Amino acid sequence: QTQEGGNHLVFFFFFAKHKRKGRKTLRSFKNIYGCMDLESEGEEEDEAGQEQEREQRLQQQRRRVFVAVCFEIEEESGNNNNNNKDDDDENASELEERLLDVTIQWKRRRLVVHEWRTVRDRSGARLEEEEDKLVGVGGGKEGKLYFDILLSFLGTSGDESLLLRKMWTRVVRHEKRLDVFLKDDFGGDDGRKRRSRNAMMITAKDADVLMSAPCRFPFLKDESESYDLRESFRANGYLIADGGTAAKGTSSCRVSKTLVDSFRMKTHERIEVILSALRENHSHVSVGTDAFAYKEIGSRGKYRFDALFDKEKEEEDALFKFAKSDAPWVEPVKDILRNAEDIDINISIVWTEPNCSDQEWHCDGAHRGDQETYDEQTGALVKTHGPPYAVCVFMALLDLDDTVGYTEFWPTSHKNAGLLGFGAAAHALGGVQSNKNAKAGDWVVYDYRLMHRGIGNESKDTRRPILQFMYAVDGYKERKNYGQKSVFRPG
């Protein structure tokens, strides 16, 4: 349990809290398939008394809380020799199809079920013990299968545990396994379900709270992308183009080697000029460890920097012309920014030196205008987030990998400022994207509000430079990430 900013709480419970040594009782998933009423069954007297006391004391303090509850489930099939990855994915999809009537009621707390999904955790992001982490399908280990439910209810800090206890109590009370039948076997005219020879047997092994937050958080599912570029970007907050494959709305993808080499040389020259001025005019600054912000350069953590190109200098005209009209992402960016006539462009170098560590999750710009909002009482969506006022393009100037590092992006995290401080949950929730393995000239576009982070540079002697192109509309000017005093002036 950690506190960020004084009012945001994130909860992680990694599957160790409800296991009992010496017991291997299988809990049925059956009641989740129908309707789980968290008020319909009698509770123990002490719990009822505690809840009544809390009801009186906290009635006015409750706010809508979004919670992801996950169930680790055990699956069996008619064929126990199923070790095929594609079959596993198909079984997970079938399970999600069968659970189309997930209903959970808690009327006093105005509980609403928003979404549910099945997740095969092959990365091991949800496992607590290091020795249990997966070595990949090739290593002979399959990812555990989970069933996640995203819901919201009126509560205060700590009520997530009460919710989990209520749900788990009802699961435990149903000891029988649930037969999840294939769609064609959901019963005949008499309405009774007939068991298929290949039907899956589903039981809940464990349950926990995956995340809790004061606003809705990313809960990504494998769905087909929208064919509308603007709507897809507005929903996800990023557009990635790498591997030589053109993104939608572009005629080509990777920037040519000739241009990349030219930009790399220009980038190196700019970095050396600024660092030289920093050492000469501001010798009190320990470059690499001290935090600082000047008009042309700012530190972004240990051995991580961000330096601007000067758009007023003629020698930078070619670079800004490329950004304005020749770059392969120009048309998609114009579409995303609603074809605004007045687009302000800034170009900077984001680079890391060897021994740079992982960056904290953050967003580059503040939220302006509308944010995604849900009604406190009903849990219904009442307001969507506003369109982007700025987007960034990261273009790799060298091949990225685990050694020199890369950038991770959290899709859909740009809709509400309340997610700031919750980046540690990104991998456990799933869906994190990155430009890992991008080649020089590959690029990614992201919403200025999208949460992301740079991965550390573990190389011995390789600087990792990234060209960043920022396109802004609606009169937005970048003033937060840099200082007012010039690095070229002594003092």
Side-chain angles (χ1 to χ4, degrees):
Q1 179 176 341
T2 63
Q3 186 168 348
E4 297 285 345
N7 59 351
H8 293 160
L9 294 178
V10 58
F11 297 84
F12 285 99
F13 304 87
F14 285 100
F15 305 103
K17 298 192 171 45
H18 302 284
K19 294 179 180 178
R20 298 182 180 179
K21 295 182 179 180
R23 289 190 62 184
K24 295 185 178 180
T25 304
L26 297 176
R27 285 93 172 188
S28 173
F29 214 52
K30 181 175 181 180
N31 61 326
I32 294 179
Y33 178 78
C35 173
M36 178 185 290
D37 189 343
L38 301 185
E39 293 181 317
S40 63
E41 301 180 52
E43 302 288 346
E44 290 79 0
E45 291 184 3
D46 58 341
E47 180 177 305
Q50 292 174 11
E51 186 165 351
Q52 183 177 4
E53 181 180 344
R54 287 173 61 86
E55 191 76 26
Q56 297 173 352
R57 179 168 50 90
L58 302 174
Q59 183 66 33
Q60 302 301 321
Q61 301 179 24
R62 292 193 178 112
R63 295 292 181 267
R64 185 152 294 272
V65 180
F66 287 80
V67 182
V69 177
C70 58
F71 292 85
E72 180 188 344
I73 59 180
E74 182 174 3
E75 53 183 330
E76 297 177 6
S77 65
N79 180 7
N80 291 325
N81 295 321
N82 177 20
N83 292 317
N84 186 282
K85 176 180 180 295
D86 293 335
D87 290 343
D88 287 337
D89 291 338
E90 184 178 349
N91 286 343
S93 298
E94 287 176 359
L95 172 60
E96 193 164 336
E97 281 188 34
R98 301 308 160 265
L99 300 173
L100 294 178
D101 298 320
V102 173
T103 305
I104 305 174
Q105 295 180 355
W106 195 1
K107 293 182 179 180
R108 282 183 296 169
R109 297 298 188 93
R110 308 289 195 273
L111 187 147
V112 175
V113 176
H114 296 280
E115 288 189 81
W116 53 90
R117 65 184 182 185
T118 51
V119 177
R120 179 78 65 181
D121 183 29
R122 288 191 173 86
S123 69
R126 299 192 182 193
L127 298 182
E128 182 179 23
E129 299 295 332
E130 184 68 27
E131 59 268 23
D132 289 339
K133 288 193 175 180
L134 306 176
V135 297
V137 177
K141 290 188 178 182
E142 303 297 336
K144 291 185 177 182
L145 184 63
Y146 298 92
F147 183 68
D148 300 341
I149 305 173
L150 175 63
L151 47 80
S152 66
F153 70 106
L154 294 178
T156 58
S157 176
D159 282 352
E160 299 85 353
S161 298
L162 175 62
L163 171 70
L164 178 66
R165 186 167 71 250
K166 282 175 167 289
M167 294 179 69
W168 185 245
T169 297
R170 282 150 180 78
V171 171
V172 171
R173 285 176 182 173
H174 294 264
E175 294 292 341
K176 295 181 180 180
R177 294 184 178 183
L178 171 65
D179 289 347
V180 180
F181 301 104
L182 298 178
K183 188 172 184 179
D184 292 339
D185 296 318
F186 257 87
D189 294 336
D190 60 357
R192 291 178 299 177
K193 298 176 181 177
R194 294 177 284 107
R195 178 173 180 176
S196 166
R197 192 169 47 180
N198 295 320
M200 293 189 299
M201 304 280 289
I202 305 299
T203 56
K205 296 174 61 179
D206 208 345
D208 230 318
V209 172
L210 187 60
M211 178 173 171
S212 169
C215 62
R216 181 159 177 168
F217 44 82
F219 192 81
L220 303 174
K221 303 169 71 173
D222 292 331
E223 297 177 345
S224 59
E225 294 184 10
S226 169
Y227 286 96
D228 185 279
L229 174 64
R230 188 184 302 176
E231 288 303 315
S232 177
F233 186 89
R234 189 164 188 264
N236 298 309
Y238 79 104
L239 169 68
I240 193 165
D242 58 16
T245 303
K248 292 174 183 177
T250 65
S251 58
S252 61
C253 177
R254 186 172 292 153
V255 177
S256 70
K257 183 178 184 302
T258 301
L259 281 175
V260 170
D261 290 343
S262 173
F263 293 157
R264 187 188 300 115
M265 182 178 300
K266 187 179 290 291
T267 294
H268 175 73
E269 293 173 354
R270 181 65 173 168
I271 290 175
E272 292 306 317
V273 166
I274 291 181
L275 289 182
S276 177
L278 184 60
R279 296 188 187 99
E280 181 178 348
N281 298 324
H282 309 278
S283 58
H284 63 282
V285 175
S286 178
V287 179
T289 56
D290 286 354
F292 60 86
Y294 293 95
K295 186 177 179 180
E296 301 85 3
I297 184 174
S299 61
R300 300 290 181 260
K302 188 177 180 180
Y303 299 113
R304 188 184 301 273
F305 310 95
D306 186 345
L308 283 166
F309 280 99
D310 190 347
K311 66 174 67 178
E312 303 300 327
K313 290 188 175 182
E314 292 184 3
E315 55 263 37
E316 312 298 357
D317 285 352
L319 187 58
F320 279 89
K321 180 180 180 298
F322 169 81
K324 185 176 181 179
S325 58
D326 298 337
W329 56 78
V330 168
E331 291 305 316
V333 166
K334 287 181 178 179
D335 189 7
I336 290 167
L337 294 178
R338 307 171 300 285
N339 295 308
E341 295 183 2
D342 186 16
I343 299 179
D344 184 62
I345 301 175
N346 283 298
I347 305 175
S348 63
I349 314 152
V350 178
W351 85 91
T352 62
E353 300 287 352
N355 298 317
C356 175
S357 58
D358 292 349
Q359 197 176 23
E360 295 294 329
W361 286 94
H362 66 283
C363 58
D364 291 334
H367 286 256
R368 307 169 76 205
D370 292 341
Q371 300 182 42
E372 186 178 73
T373 306
Y374 287 79
D375 185 88
E376 283 288 319
Q377 295 302 313
T378 66
L381 177 66
V382 294
K383 186 184 297 182
T384 59
H385 64 290
Y389 62 87
V391 299
C392 279
V393 180
F394 273 179
M395 191 188 89
L397 292 175
L398 77 168
D399 296 348
L400 305 181
D401 55 31
D402 285 319
T403 302
V404 299
Y406 49 92
T407 305
E408 291 184 331
F409 303 90
W410 195 8
T412 76
S413 63
H414 61 299
K415 300 179 180 181
N416 195 294
L419 278 178
L420 292 175
F422 287 86
H427 280 283
L429 285 171
V432 171
Q433 301 292 315
S434 77
N435 60 352
K436 178 182 177 181
N437 300 323
K439 303 299 181 182
D442 289 341
W443 47 273
V444 57
V445 186
Y446 65 93
D447 191 303
Y448 209 48
R449 302 163 294 183
L450 188 76
M451 292 182 65
H452 60 285
R453 67 168 183 165
I455 299 302
N457 185 343
E458 299 180 358
S459 69
K460 294 181 179 180
D461 53 11
T462 301
R463 174 183 288 164
R464 182 182 90 223
I466 298 291
L467 267 183
Q468 176 178 264
F469 302 82
M470 190 192 82
Y471 299 81
V473 295
D474 301 332
Y476 179 78
K477 302 292 183 182
E478 177 54 69
R479 295 184 177 89
K480 183 189 77 169
N481 292 315
Y482 304 94
Q484 298 298 318
K485 186 175 182 179
S486 174
V487 71
F488 296 103
R489 293 185 179 181

